[in-house]
Structures are given as structure tokens and as C-alpha cells.
Amino acid sequence: MSPQDITITDHVIPLAARDHGGDGPAVLLLHGLGGTLEAWDALAPLLARRHRVVAMDLRGHGLSGDGLWEWDAVLDDLDAVVKHFRLDRPAIVGHSLGGMLAIMWARRHPGCPAIVNLDGLRSAENDPGNYPGMAQDALKTALDQLKATFDAQTAVMGQPVPAEQAPMLPQRALTARDGHSYLRPGPETLAALRYAPEFRDAIPLLRAVTCPALVVLSDRDPAGMDGGELMTAFRRGVRRDLHDLPSTVRVTELAASHNMVAEQPSDLTDLIIRFLTGSAKK
């Protein structure tokens, strides 16, 4: 079947979803911060060959409604989508922020068959101790620069998009207000997430997950971006801290950047299908 776009209206906020169809065990796909359900358009049809697949826009993103970013409220949104599509105990596959939500979903729903976290364990703006191997002076300079970059990005999200730029941006990522276009999510959502402990570091939450979980880490910077020593140290810190995990958690790396869903949809699909199939047999 062709993907079907649906807006769920019997919830506290409207929720936009894309039904990719498919037979087999259900999977709910969750995009990352600043993304939309369109992030899965290459991967979802491949996954739908073996699974029943639905993607959604998180609150404050895409065509879903606005609302305070509170983790329990966002998980309620996921519950509403699962109920609407009558998904029977879905596995949750999430990228970045979506991967963090997958972890939280598994804690709320211990009977979840499995979750897949795609490079969603920590925000890049983090505590100095999470960048091992960097000289302190260089680390402080790099973190100050990163903070300034994120401050500037947050400020931009609150400003109208220049009229000449709006047609070149994904229309699902824009909202119209007062005759202007604005990027989503807005600065309120960014501020709520930026310093939230769960967003800064989801590894402690991962340790409490009891269902089968697959974590896929990136091994490089995105094409055209040189994160320098800071991001290399960041990835080193994540690997360092993934110790003493429950036996149900599997960690692997993919030859891709944080943008792995766009870069390697086929390889990711193979990983996800093998993992979910193996988990179902246990």
C-alpha cells in the first residue's frame, strides 16, 4: 500500500502520523529533534516488507500540535498513536531524541517486545567529564563554542524565516504565524530539552530497560562537517560509559554519522529486522 497520512484529533493535541502498512509485528518510528516523520521515508518501506510500520511527528514537530515538552506527556502521545492504529505491543525504533523516547517507552511498558536506539544516548552539549582524552584548555574552548552555536540556533528558531528561504526548506518543518514562516520546534521546546537530564544523558535510563534493546552508534561526523577533537572525544566517552549494561542490551556501530537514517537506510533496516526477529524468538 502507499503510505497514508493521518491526523489524530481525539487527543490533547493533534498528532500527525504516516501509516506505511505492512504485515507482521508492529513498529513505531520516532524521529530526532528538529526532524519529522519524513525522516523515515527511505527506511520505512524496506521495514514494511517484514513489519507493520507507522511513523509519527512528535509534538512541536512537523504537523503535530504544540504542547509543553514533558516526557510523560510525550509518552502519552505515543500511546495515543499506538491506540489509534491498534498496534499490538509495538517495538519502538527511534533516532536521536526518538531513541531516548524509545528507552523511556520501554520503562513505561515493560512488556514491550524490543526497542532500537539509533545514536540517541547523549546530547552533544554535555559535562566536561564526558569528553575523555581532551586537554582541559582545548575542551573548555570547544564547549564554549558549542554553547554559543546552540544559543544562536535557539535564537534563530524564534525568528521568522526569511521569505526567500522558506520555499527551499522542508515545508513540514515550518509553521505559519502572523503572516510569517517559523521553523519547528520553537525555542520553548528547545529550551525544555536542552538542559533536561534525560536528554543530556540517557545512558542511566538504558540500564533500567528490561526488554531486548539494540543501540546503534555512529563512528564519524556528518559529511561536510568537521566536529574536530570534541566530537571524537564525545563518541569515545559514550563508548566508555556503555559498560555493565543488562544482558538484554546489544551495542553495535555503523559506518555512518549521526545522520545514519538518511545515509544507510538499507543497512539499518537489515540490522533492525535481524534484531527484532531474533528478539521475537527468545
Side-chain angles (χ1 to χ4, degrees), residues 159-178:
Q159 300 298 319
V161 176
E164 66 275 13
Q165 294 182 14
M168 297 182 287
L169 297 171
Q171 295 305 293
R172 200 178 189 98
L174 298 174
T175 186
R177 188 170 69 250
D178 302 327

Side-chain angles (χ1 to χ4, degrees), residues 247-269:
S247 60
T248 52
V249 180
R250 175 190 166 196
V251 180
T252 190
E253 293 195 20
L254 187 68
S257 77
H258 185 66
N259 296 329
M260 58 176 64
V261 176
E263 294 172 0
Q264 301 280 12
S266 180
D267 288 350
L268 264 184
T269 301

Side-chain angles (χ1 to χ4, degrees), residues 219-240:
D219 68 354
R220 63 196 65 178
D221 294 332
M225 170 191 165
D226 180 10
E229 190 180 2
L230 183 73
M231 295 312 300
T232 299
F234 172 80
R235 289 190 290 271
R236 190 161 55 236
V238 170
R239 296 186 189 100
R240 177 199 65 189

Side-chain angles (χ1 to χ4, degrees), residues 174-189:
L174 298 174
T175 186
R177 188 170 69 250
D178 302 327
H180 298 284
S181 295
Y182 293 81
L183 285 166
R184 304 191 81 202
E188 298 83 4
T189 297

Side-chain angles (χ1 to χ4, degrees), residues 186-235:
E188 298 83 4
T189 297
L190 293 178
L193 278 167
R194 188 172 175 185
Y195 296 110
E198 301 89 345
F199 183 69
R200 289 176 65 85
D201 193 353
I203 293 177
L205 301 179
L206 179 63
R207 298 187 189 286
V209 168
T210 57
C211 74
L214 173 65
V215 175
V216 183
L217 302 178
S218 64
D219 68 354
R220 63 196 65 178
D221 294 332
M225 170 191 165
D226 180 10
E229 190 180 2
L230 183 73
M231 295 312 300
T232 299
F234 172 80
R235 289 190 290 271

Side-chain angles (χ1 to χ4, degrees), residues 7-15 56 59 64-65 72-81 83-84:
T7 300
I8 299 169
T9 58
D10 59 347
H11 186 57
V12 292
I13 61 170
L15 296 172
M56 66 176 289
R59 64 169 52 200
S64 287
D72 283 341
V74 178
L75 292 173
D76 288 344
D77 297 344
L78 272 57
D79 273 314
V81 172
K83 179 181 178 181
H84 179 88

